[in-house]
Amino acid sequence: MDMSTGSSSMDMGEMNDEPMAMTFFLSSSTSLFSKAWTPKNTAAYVGTCLFLITLAVAMRVMLALKPILEKLIWNTSVKPEGILVPDDEASYQKETSPHQSAKSVYKNVRKRWSIWRFQTSLGRATFELVLATVGYLLMLAVMTMNVGYFLSVLSGLFLGTFIVGDLAADNSLYQEHHC
């Protein structure tokens, strides 16, 4: 491969018509997610930025709803009588020794697995899939290095937190997941 001519076994022009940006730049014709989504005028660029703001707000809303859904719908455990109840109402016997026996661990896993429900797990997994998809789409928008897209994502995260941040502000699940 001759580095001076820039030729290689794969022509870089086939991958992308524009050189890869390594610094933030301002352009109203930056592709978002695919070449088909390239704003052709200022109105289309503003629409794309508004879409990113909406997507970021949606992510914050989902993050605020997650602990609520976890507590009310998805998180269940078993009382000694075998009745399904929310986790905070269950009473578990905790061993005082730092080393649990293998039998105790097996019983704990078996008890938790016995309450596994397809519908609950499907709902939780689907929610996580949507949340991850939105997060990765926002990451890809920021990785374009377009200042407008970057500021749109930040504005959406701010606006979403401003609107629904109080719903889950005290919950550790909300604080663990950042964009």
Side-chain angles (χ1 to χ4, degrees):
M1 178 168 79
D2 183 12
M3 297 302 268
S4 62
T5 61
S7 63
S8 68
S9 61
M10 178 173 44
D11 184 14
M12 295 304 281
E14 292 175 9
M15 288 178 46
N16 193 354
D17 292 339
E18 299 174 12
M20 187 171 178
M22 296 309 231
T23 59
F24 282 103
F25 65 94
L26 186 58
S27 172
S28 62
S29 62
T30 305
S31 297
L32 183 67
F33 307 139
S34 73
K35 291 224 182 258
W37 193 335
T38 304
K40 303 291 184 211
N41 53 40
T42 305
Y45 182 69
V46 169
T48 299
C49 290
L50 289 174
F51 169 77
L52 289 173
I53 291 170
T54 304
L55 197 62
V57 168
M59 181 175 177
R60 282 301 184 193
V61 168
M62 287 188 296
L63 284 173
L65 289 177
K66 183 178 178 181
I68 296 167
L69 293 172
E70 192 71 47
K71 183 177 181 182
L72 296 178
I73 297 173
W74 299 327
N75 199 7
T76 57
S77 45
V78 179
K79 274 188 176 178
E81 300 87 28
I83 301 169
L84 290 174
V85 295
D87 227 5
D88 56 349
E89 295 178 20
S91 59
Y92 289 110
Q93 294 177 348
K94 296 188 179 186
E95 294 188 16
T96 56
S97 69
H99 304 290
Q100 290 184 330
S101 68
K103 187 176 182 179
S104 175
V105 171
Y106 174 75
K107 282 175 58 177
N108 193 5
V109 169
R110 188 172 170 189
K111 182 189 336 179
R112 289 188 177 268
W113 186 254
S114 69
I115 62 169
W116 184 87
R117 292 180 295 161
F118 178 78
Q119 187 175 9
T120 300
S121 295
L122 181 64
R124 182 184 291 128
T126 302
F127 187 85
E128 286 291 334
L129 178 70
V130 171
L131 185 60
T133 301
V134 171
Y136 282 121
L137 288 174
L138 291 172
M139 178 193 67
L140 289 172
V142 169
M143 288 176 59
T144 64
M145 302 300 283
N146 183 302
V147 173
Y149 294 170
F150 177 69
L151 292 177
S152 295
V153 170
L154 290 180
S155 299
L157 293 174
F158 173 81
L159 186 61
T161 303
F162 183 76
I163 293 170
V164 296
D166 288 341
L167 288 178
D170 295 334
N171 195 304
S172 64
L173 284 174
Y174 183 75
Q175 295 165 357
E176 290 173 6
H177 292 84
H178 294 286
C179 177

